């Protein structure tokens, strides 16, 4: 590889890597907020916070990496123009087209990584996340219940006390449940029981051989009821993300190819689009970053970010149209991807060209 290509590739790679790291740090805050919100609502057990955070970030990579690639290339080119390195490179006969080789040496591997995340790792992370949550809902330990202590029911539905628990966390002994709804309270005790998962994906505490007392919160009231039961089921709060093996978001990409459902076809095109959009954004980054030595380094960063924002929003909107049947499956997202690729090639091919000089007739 010529020395110039090595130098440009090094500049592009360092700037892109630094930009991606910054974007990941920013996105960690958003993903952490989403996971904490699910934990507060009882959708995700608290013990799985870090695992869910990593899986959410992995699922976001197809949206983060194209932006990091585009902004990183624009930052690298902006520095070369600011330090007058590009005019020096142009003076020795190296034009914008000569930059295509180091650009593709970075953009093509990045597109392959984005394709792997979008077509394989992202669906795998989503499927693993839902399977972990579904399995955790069958386990009292992961759900946050500890023997010998009072634990608040996820979502603020009451308090549970468990005396003893099996090693796998599925069975327990000597349980006390306090729930409050409106102006009445409910106290349930049981000698033994287990945690069960219904067909609808909701969790139930199956209590055996116990008592249930229901009455008003007002201590002076006399409206109390006492019941002894052989078996009783208490509904536990459960997340909305129940495991559905046929949901398009958790199906593998080969499985989506033969699925005629509009939702499956929309998910397939949504996975194909990010690597192609990343190539289009990489081609646009070079001409968009062109500037004069005294021009602000970040002057055109807003234009690049808006280009990315519009492209990704159209991708999400188009996915919704495909799911609703407003677009035919054959159209997919090609109406967005192909014009952006053509625009990127056209901008790159015309970068640095001088306009025709008009002759002025005396």
């Amino acid at each position: 590889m010529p020395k110039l290509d090595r130098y440009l590739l090094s500049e592009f790679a360092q700037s892109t890597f630094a930009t991606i790291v910054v974007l990941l740090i920013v996105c960690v805050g958003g993903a952490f907020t989403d996971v904490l919100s699910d934990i507060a609502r009882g959708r995700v057990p608290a013990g799985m916070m870090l695992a869910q955070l990593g899986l959410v970030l992995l699922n976001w990579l197809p949206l983060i990496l194209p932006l990091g690639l585009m902004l990183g290339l624009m930052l690298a080119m902006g520095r070369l123009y600011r330090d007058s390195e590009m005019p020096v490179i142009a003076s020795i006969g190296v034009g914008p087209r000569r930059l295509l080789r180091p650009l593709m040496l970075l953009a093509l591997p990045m597109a392959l990584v984005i394709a792997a995340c979008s077509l394989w790792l992202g669906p795998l992370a989503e499927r693993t996340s839902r399977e972990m949550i579904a399995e955790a809902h069958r386990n009292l330990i992961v759900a946050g219940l500890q023997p010998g202590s009072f634990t608040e029911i996820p979502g603020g539905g009451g308090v549970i006390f468990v005396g003893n628990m099996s090693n796998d966390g599925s069975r327990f002994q000597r349980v006390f449940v306090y729930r409050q709804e409106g102006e009445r309270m409910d106290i349930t005790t049981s000698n033994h029981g287990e945690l069960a998962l219904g067909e609808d994906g909701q969790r139930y505490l199956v209590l055996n051989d116990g008592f249930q007392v229901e009455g008003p919160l007002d201590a002076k009231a006399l409206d109390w009821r006492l019941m002894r039961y052989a078996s009783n089921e208490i509904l536990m709060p459960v997340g909305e993300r129940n495991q559905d093996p046929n949901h398009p978001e958790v199906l593998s990409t080969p499985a989506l190819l033969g699925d005629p459902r509009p939702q499956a076809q929309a998910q397939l095109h949504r996975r194909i689009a990010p690597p192609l959009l990343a190539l289009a954004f990489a081609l646009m980054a070079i001409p968009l970053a062109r500037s004069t030595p005294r021009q602000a380094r970040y002057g055109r960063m807003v234009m690049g970010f808006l280009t990315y924002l519009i492209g990704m929003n159209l991708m999400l909107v188009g996915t919704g149209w495909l799911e609703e049947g407003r677009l035919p499956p054959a159209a997919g997202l090609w109406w967005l991807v192909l014009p952006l690729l053509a625009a990127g090639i056209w901008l790159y091919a015309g970068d640095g060209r001088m306009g025709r000089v008009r002759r002025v007739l005396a």
Side-chain angles (χ1 to χ4, degrees):
M1 185 186 302
K3 185 178 295 185
L4 178 61
D5 289 346
R6 290 200 302 269
Y7 173 71
L8 292 175
L9 178 60
S10 175
E11 290 292 323
F12 292 163
Q14 290 179 12
S15 181
T16 301
F17 177 75
T19 304
I20 291 175
V21 170
V22 173
L23 290 176
L24 287 176
I25 293 175
V26 174
C27 291
V28 164
F32 188 65
T33 302
D34 291 343
V35 173
L36 284 182
S37 177
D38 290 339
I39 292 175
R41 293 184 174 93
R43 301 173 182 174
V44 177
M48 299 172 54
M49 181 180 66
L50 293 180
Q52 291 297 313
L53 180 61
L55 293 173
V56 169
L57 285 176
L58 187 59
N59 202 17
W60 285 7
L61 284 181
L63 301 179
I64 299 173
L65 294 181
L67 178 60
L69 176 62
M70 185 177 192
L71 296 183
L73 290 174
M74 294 188 69
L75 285 173
M77 290 299 298
R79 190 201 68 79
L80 294 176
Y81 279 111
R82 183 199 62 182
D83 296 342
S84 301
E85 293 187 24
M86 284 304 298
V88 173
I89 294 176
S91 67
I92 60 175
V94 177
R97 295 186 180 182
R98 182 63 177 77
L99 303 180
L100 185 61
R101 182 177 180 181
L103 174 65
M104 289 294 103
L105 287 176
L106 175 65
L108 289 179
M110 283 292 299
L112 292 178
V113 172
I114 295 171
C117 294
S118 180
L119 298 175
W120 176 51
L121 292 178
L124 179 61
E126 182 69 21
R127 184 166 58 252
T128 303
S129 173
R130 300 194 182 195
E131 290 176 351
M132 290 176 62
I133 294 174
E135 182 63 28
H137 286 165
R138 301 185 181 95
N139 192 309
L140 287 174
I141 296 177
V142 181
L145 300 180
Q146 298 295 334
S149 62
F150 288 90
T151 304
E152 182 179 0
I153 298 178
V159 178
I160 298 179
F161 176 86
V162 176
N164 293 323
M165 187 182 300
S166 61
N167 294 330
D168 60 358
S170 61
R171 299 180 181 275
F172 53 85
Q173 294 178 349
R174 300 194 310 275
V175 64
F176 169 88
V177 181
Y178 171 82
R179 294 175 296 172
Q180 178 179 334
E181 183 176 356
E183 298 297 329
R184 300 187 66 83
M185 64 178 178
D186 184 295
I187 299 175
T188 306
T189 61
S190 174
N191 289 331
H192 56 89
E194 60 184 358
L195 186 67
L197 190 67
E199 296 181 356
D200 54 357
Q202 293 184 327
R203 293 178 299 173
Y204 294 89
L205 279 177
V206 181
L207 308 178
N208 301 317
D209 189 16
F211 292 89
Q212 181 175 357
V213 179
E214 180 186 355
L217 295 177
D218 187 2
K220 297 181 181 180
L222 301 178
D223 184 14
W224 292 84
R225 288 186 293 179
L226 174 63
M227 178 181 65
R228 182 170 184 174
Y229 59 86
S231 179
N232 187 12
E233 293 183 355
I234 298 179
L235 178 63
M236 297 282 290
V238 68
E240 299 176 357
R241 299 169 59 192
N242 299 327
Q243 172 64 9
D244 182 6
N246 294 321
H247 196 281
E249 291 184 1
V250 300
L251 289 177
S252 62
T253 301
L256 293 177
L257 293 175
D259 197 326
R261 293 179 297 172
Q263 295 81 3
Q265 293 300 310
Q267 187 64 216
L268 175 63
H269 287 283
R270 187 181 184 276
R271 297 179 187 179
I272 296 174
L276 299 178
L277 291 178
L279 288 177
F281 294 149
L283 291 173
M284 293 180 183
I286 302 300
L288 289 178
R290 175 177 290 275
S291 61
T292 59
R294 294 184 179 181
Q295 188 175 354
R297 181 180 180 184
Y298 307 104
R300 297 198 174 187
M301 295 294 293
V302 176
M303 185 181 300
F305 180 75
L306 289 177
T307 302
Y308 165 84
L309 196 62
I310 293 173
M312 285 300 177
N313 281 334
L314 287 177
M315 183 189 74
L316 297 178
V317 171
T319 302
W321 289 346
L322 288 171
E323 292 177 351
E324 297 171 1
R326 299 173 61 182
L327 283 177
L333 295 176
W334 301 115
W335 55 270
L336 170 65
V337 174
L338 295 181
L340 280 179
L341 279 173
I345 295 173
W346 178 76
L347 288 174
Y348 191 89
D351 185 30
R353 285 187 178 182
M354 298 182 62
R356 295 182 179 179
V357 180
R358 295 182 179 180
R359 295 182 180 181
V360 179
L361 297 178

